[in-house]
Amino acid sequence: MAAPMLRGCCLARRGALACIDGGSRHGRGAAIGCRSSGKRGRSSVAQQPLITAQKSGKGEHAWAAVVGLEIHAQISSNSKLFSGSQVQFAAPPNSLVSFFDASLPGTLPVLNRRCVEAAVMTGLALKCHINKKSLFDRKHYFYADLPAGYQITQQRLPIAVNGSLEYSVCVGKKRSQVITRTARIKQIQLEQDSGKSLHDELRSQTLIDLNRAEGQLRVDANISVHHPGEPLGVRTEVKNLNSARFLARAIDSEIERQINELENGREILNETRSFDCKLGCTIPMRDKEGKQDYRFMPEPNLPPLLLYDTASLPPGADPQQVINIDRIREQLPELPSETREQLVQQYGMLPEHSFTILNEVGLLEFFQNVIKETRAEPKKVTSWILNNFLGFLKQQNLAVNESPVTPSALAELLNLLDRKAISSSAAKQVFEELWRSKGKTPSQIVSEKQLELMQDGEALNQVCLAVMEEHPQVVLAMKRGNPRAINKLIGLVRKATLSRADPTVIKEILEKKLSS
């Protein structure tokens, strides 16, 4: 009854469960540790706990936090995990529900090949071991949006296990130092997702939508704190976080809350909490003291899922009937870490700049297109894109693909600057005009506004001489070693030439005349 999804969990010190859920009738993703929970088909990826030292007062012990993330990610597929029902965002309620999705007697699940391939590709990208044989299980619990009374998941033998995710963090005062950390992935599993509960407070009723294809990402965070060297603390679970920003705020808030509770002599309860984004803190939902028995059992209507590699592929096997792990490995796109490393090695880019280029949607392609069409140094291209282009985008609240400045236009502007046809200040004027004048090229703007640099050396020499004669006091100050004097003279010459003279050339002429 749900769109296919991937689910996962991360821990900084303690292991966590990760699962992949595929769209189907219903299902809940697995949480950190070895618990499953979730809605709609998806996959879950387990991460390791993230350890962060918390400052303490004088004479107090430091605190360490352990964070485990269970990540539910929707698989991009056209149909659900165990039925042929279409996956479509914002479809009318219950308009995409098959007999199986509605749990009518006699209906059977049919596994979606696309979801399995996506789970394998995710496992490979996260350096997991892909199990050539994995099993499906039933997880029983009662909930209104779960018409069958159970959810199909992979509790015992999931599709992928024991992976890792390396990520880099910019640190230091200027965030110029990059350090690498690693999160462990316990497992990735395919799992159904349940329906969606729609609460009508006006009528005091709850309606159920079995389409369940809205959300694409949901994270549950398991958090505990302890003193380094001591046993791990009691953990709480913060449910249903749907953005990276809210996830970070919820983790910080819960860590602070637990430390405050313990330092004031109170205990941490093993409970489920939610994050109130308006209050900026977590609030209790329910305790976990009465642990629910999900009565896991093998799914009788699905045989073991068998995967192959090139070595184990049966002779004469139909490629449409088997899934080849090695073939999926060949289809893996370049991973972000590889792209960042290439940017640093090929273009001499600072690591922190590679993060910005890659993290802004569409910016990498824009950068690469500019590089193809300009003779300017890659470092200059990077500087212009990050400082000027990206700055204008943020001022106008535009995405890269909404920019009125095309890669070709920026490349042409940088070419003009590179061959010293215009000055740096003129280039910025042209860039600003490009944002206002759609359709005009940098060369047209330069010509219309007469921004070309003076190429006549003798004419510039005469202008410099005239300025020096008109301002003898400044010239005298310059001769006495006043460093500001030459800058003032340069400014006066540029003003006389309508900013069409290169400041470097002006300085050379002035210094030559003073020394002669």
Side-chain angles (χ1 to χ4, degrees):
M1 102 180 100
M5 295 190 65
L6 291 172
R7 188 191 69 194
C9 310
C10 275
L11 289 177
R13 285 187 54 182
R14 170 173 12 174
L17 170 68
C19 308
I20 296 180
D21 311 333
S24 83
R25 190 186 45 166
H26 44 245
R28 301 208 173 177
I32 276 190
C34 294
R35 307 179 48 238
S36 267
S37 83
K39 313 227 168 198
R40 162 177 62 206
R42 67 207 157 198
S43 137
S44 69
V45 183
Q47 312 180 88
Q48 329 169 230
L50 307 171
I51 308 173
T52 58
Q54 299 292 319
K55 292 182 178 179
S56 55
K58 188 175 181 181
E60 296 179 351
H61 295 294
W63 290 97
V66 179
V67 180
L69 304 180
E70 172 195 353
I71 303 170
H72 309 252
Q74 179 176 320
I75 296 174
S76 177
S77 65
N78 295 324
S79 58
K80 300 179 183 180
L81 178 60
F82 293 123
S83 83
S85 295
Q86 184 183 0
V87 173
Q88 180 182 331
F89 176 74
N94 296 310
S95 61
L96 304 174
V97 180
S98 69
F99 290 152
F100 177 80
D101 298 337
S103 302
L104 296 185
T107 56
L108 297 173
V110 178
L111 185 59
N112 186 328
R113 178 191 178 98
R114 159 63 189 156
C115 295
V116 176
E117 292 174 337
V120 172
M121 183 168 284
T122 303
L124 293 173
L126 293 173
K127 302 177 183 177
C128 292
H129 169 75
I130 308 298
N131 287 324
K132 293 181 181 177
K133 178 181 178 181
S134 59
L135 304 174
F136 289 96
D137 306 285
R138 286 186 180 182
K139 173 187 175 183
H140 295 83
Y141 63 94
F142 174 77
Y143 205 73
D145 60 10
L146 193 65
Y150 63 85
Q151 167 194 23
I152 301 178
T153 184
Q154 289 192 305
Q155 174 69 11
R156 297 171 297 159
L157 190 57
I159 195 168
V161 296
N162 300 333
S164 64
L165 173 64
E166 288 188 358
Y167 60 98
S168 300
V169 182
C170 295
V171 298
K173 290 184 178 180
K174 296 183 178 180
R175 298 183 62 80
S176 57
Q177 181 185 355
V178 178
I179 60 174
T180 301
R181 292 177 177 167
T182 302
R184 292 168 294 159
I185 311 296
K186 182 179 179 183
Q187 70 186 61
I188 296 174
Q189 67 193 53
L190 284 161
E191 185 176 275
Q192 287 177 305
D193 199 9
S194 64
K196 180 181 180 182
S197 299
L198 305 170
H199 304 291
D200 186 344
E201 296 181 0
L202 185 63
R203 296 179 177 84
S204 299
Q205 62 182 9
T206 297
L207 305 177
I208 303 298
D209 178 11
L210 297 184
N211 287 348
R212 193 60 195 217
E214 282 96 9
Q216 294 184 329
L217 179 70
R218 184 175 73 254
V219 181
D220 301 331
N222 282 248
I223 303 162
S224 69
V225 299
H226 67 284
H227 292 303
E230 296 183 2
L232 299 179
V234 176
R235 65 182 173 89
T236 60
E237 182 178 21
V238 184
K239 300 284 289 185
N240 298 329
L241 299 161
N242 58 11
S243 78
R245 184 165 60 92
F246 285 167
L247 173 63
R249 289 177 59 194
I251 291 172
D252 288 342
S253 169
E254 181 60 14
I255 290 173
E256 184 178 358
R257 185 193 71 85
Q258 291 190 19
I259 291 175
N260 288 337
E261 290 288 294
L262 293 171
E263 288 185 344
N264 284 284
R266 293 186 287 269
E267 295 182 350
I268 302 299
L269 300 179
N270 181 214
E271 62 183 351
T272 299
R273 303 178 70 87
S274 65
F275 178 67
D276 189 316
C277 59
K278 293 181 180 178
L279 296 176
C281 63
T282 65
I283 55 177
M285 292 173 64
R286 58 183 180 271
D287 66 60
K288 295 186 175 184
E289 291 186 4
K291 188 175 181 181
Q292 187 170 356
D293 180 9
Y294 292 116
R295 293 174 290 125
F296 286 100
M297 61 169 280
E299 168 54 56
N301 293 325
L302 286 170
L305 174 58
L306 301 180
L307 307 176
Y308 300 90
D309 54 22
T310 303
S312 63
L313 194 67
D318 183 355
Q320 299 301 318
Q321 299 299 318
V322 297
I323 292 180
N324 189 331
I325 300 171
D326 291 332
R327 188 171 181 180
I328 295 176
R329 193 190 311 274
E330 293 171 358
Q331 298 171 358
L332 268 177
E334 185 176 75
L335 300 178
S337 58
E338 298 169 344
T339 304
R340 288 194 297 269
E341 184 177 353
Q342 182 182 355
L343 291 173
V344 172
Q345 296 297 327
Q346 184 174 353
Y347 302 117
M349 190 179 294
L350 293 175
E352 58 268 28
H353 291 167
S354 71
F355 280 94
T356 306
I357 292 285
L358 201 61
N359 291 346
E360 195 75 29
V361 177
L363 195 58
L364 175 63
E365 183 180 2
F366 188 97
F367 170 82
Q368 291 172 333
N369 288 335
V370 174
I371 286 289
K372 290 176 185 176
E373 300 185 44
T374 185
R375 295 185 296 272
E377 291 292 324
K379 288 185 178 180
K380 178 160 285 189
V381 176
T382 302
S383 176
W384 267 83
I385 286 180
L386 295 183
N387 298 325
N388 300 88
F389 178 74
L390 201 56
F392 268 80
L393 285 180
K394 291 183 177 179
Q395 285 177 16
Q396 305 296 324
N397 196 26
L398 295 175
V400 173
N401 61 4
E402 297 172 320
S403 167
V405 179
T406 65
S408 296
L410 182 56
E412 182 183 342
L413 174 61
L414 292 176
N415 283 337
L416 291 172
L417 188 59
D418 185 63
R419 66 171 186 259
K420 300 188 183 305
I422 58 176
S423 65
S424 296
S425 59
K428 292 178 181 178
Q429 291 181 53
V430 175
F431 186 75
E432 292 175 5
E433 191 64 26
L434 284 171
W435 282 84
R436 296 190 290 265
S437 307
K438 262 192 172 181
K440 287 188 178 181
T441 66
S443 296
Q444 289 173 333
I445 296 172
V446 168
S447 178
E448 290 175 4
K449 294 187 172 293
Q450 298 183 344
L451 296 172
E452 306 95 334
L453 280 176
M454 291 181 65
Q455 302 300 326
D456 189 339
E458 181 57 33
L460 181 58
N461 191 69
Q462 292 300 320
V463 173
C464 290
L465 184 58
V467 168
M468 293 176 69
E469 291 175 350
E470 292 172 5
H471 300 85
Q473 295 301 322
V474 180
V475 173
L476 183 60
M478 182 177 171
K479 289 181 176 180
R480 290 175 176 173
N482 188 336
R484 295 182 179 179
I486 191 166
N487 291 333
K488 185 170 183 178
L489 285 176
I490 291 172
L492 291 169
V493 173
R494 294 200 71 227
K495 183 178 180 180
T497 59
L498 301 177
S499 299
R500 295 179 58 200
D502 187 339
T504 305
V505 177
I506 296 173
K507 184 177 181 181
E508 290 175 356
I509 294 174
L510 292 173
E511 288 178 339
K512 185 176 181 180
K513 287 190 174 298
L514 286 172
S515 61
S516 62

